[in-house]
Amino acid sequence: MSTTQSDRLRELLEPLVAAKGLDLEEIEMSRAGKRRMLRIIVDSDEGVELDACAELSREVSDKLDETDVMGEDEYVLEVSSPGADRPLTEHRHYARAIGRLVKFQLSAEGEKGAGELVARILDVDDEGLDLEVPGVKGRKATARRIAFTDIAKARVEIEFNRKDKKEEEA
C-alpha cells in the first residue's frame, strides 16, 4: 500500500474509530491474486468486542464507498482486534499488558546487555517498566526495572493456566 493511500485511509478512518472509543492500531493492505484485503486493527484499554468490530466494519465500509480512496477494484474489508501475540510497540500496549507475562528481547545498549527476558509487567510509567521475573527451580521471583530504551522487542506470552484478574477478585 502506498504511503499516500495509507495516509488517506488513516485520515479518513481515525475519526470513525475514535468515535467508538477505540485506537486505530494498524491498517494493512495485502493482495492474494486478484483479490485485495484491507485489514483494520483496532484496540482499547478494555479490549474490543465482536459487536463493536461488526458495527465499525459497516461504518468503515459506508465511508469507503463514499470516497475513491480504495479505487475501483474490489476488496475485502476486515476489522479486528490485534492478536494476543502482537508485538508491544507503544506505551499504551505495555500499559494494557500489566499483569501479563511478556518475552523481551533486550538491546545491547541496556545496563545488563543484550539478551532475552521473560517477566510479568507490574507497572508502567513514562520511562519504563517494573517487572517481576519468575523464580527458577524453586527460587523466589525477583523485581527488575527496565527502561523502554533497553527494549528491542516485546511480545505477550500466552498463558493457558493464567488466572484472570476478575477470577482473582471473586
Side-chain angles (χ1 to χ4, degrees):
M1 175 166 55
S2 72
T3 304
T4 305
Q5 185 182 28
S6 176
D7 292 343
R8 286 183 64 203
L9 280 167
R10 185 166 287 279
E11 185 179 302
L12 185 69
L13 302 178
E14 207 140 42
L16 287 176
V17 173
K20 298 283 183 203
L22 302 172
D23 296 317
L24 179 57
E25 293 290 347
E26 197 172 337
I27 298 173
E28 301 173 355
M29 178 71 81
S30 60
R31 186 175 287 279
K34 294 181 182 180
R35 198 171 236 198
R36 293 185 302 162
M37 166 74 86
L38 174 61
R39 181 172 291 124
I40 299 167
I41 309 295
V42 296
D43 201 4
S44 79
D45 291 344
E46 294 77 36
V48 182
E49 297 199 2
L50 186 58
D51 290 343
C53 285
E55 187 177 324
L56 182 60
S57 179
R58 285 189 291 275
E59 291 181 22
V60 166
S61 179
D62 290 345
K63 192 67 157 178
L64 292 175
D65 288 348
E66 293 171 10
T67 70
D68 66 345
V69 71
M70 291 301 294
E72 296 297 317
D73 295 338
E74 290 184 19
Y75 63 93
V76 175
L77 172 64
E78 179 183 300
V79 176
S80 68
S81 61
D85 64 343
R86 70 121 179 249
L88 304 178
T89 57
E90 303 284 335
H91 185 275
R92 67 178 177 265
H93 298 165
Y94 291 99
R96 290 174 184 160
I98 289 175
R100 306 289 304 269
L101 201 61
V102 175
K103 184 178 196 175
F104 297 93
Q105 292 292 330
L106 301 177
S107 63
E109 292 81 41
E111 66 181 62
K112 294 189 179 184
E116 193 172 278
L117 171 67
V118 176
R120 191 167 308 279
I121 298 177
L122 299 178
D123 197 21
V124 179
D125 61 31
D126 291 341
E127 285 82 41
L129 311 168
D130 291 323
L131 307 173
E132 178 184 73
V133 182
V136 181
K137 296 181 182 177
R139 294 184 184 169
K140 288 187 176 186
T142 57
R144 181 162 176 190
R145 171 94 180 153
I146 59 172
F148 286 118
T149 55
D150 295 342
I151 301 170
K153 292 182 187 176
R155 189 177 301 269
V156 170
E157 289 283 281
I158 306 300
E159 296 178 85
F160 292 104
N161 59 353
R162 175 179 174 254
K163 284 189 176 183
D164 194 3
K165 289 178 188 176
K166 292 174 186 164
E167 287 178 27
E168 290 174 3
E169 293 169 2

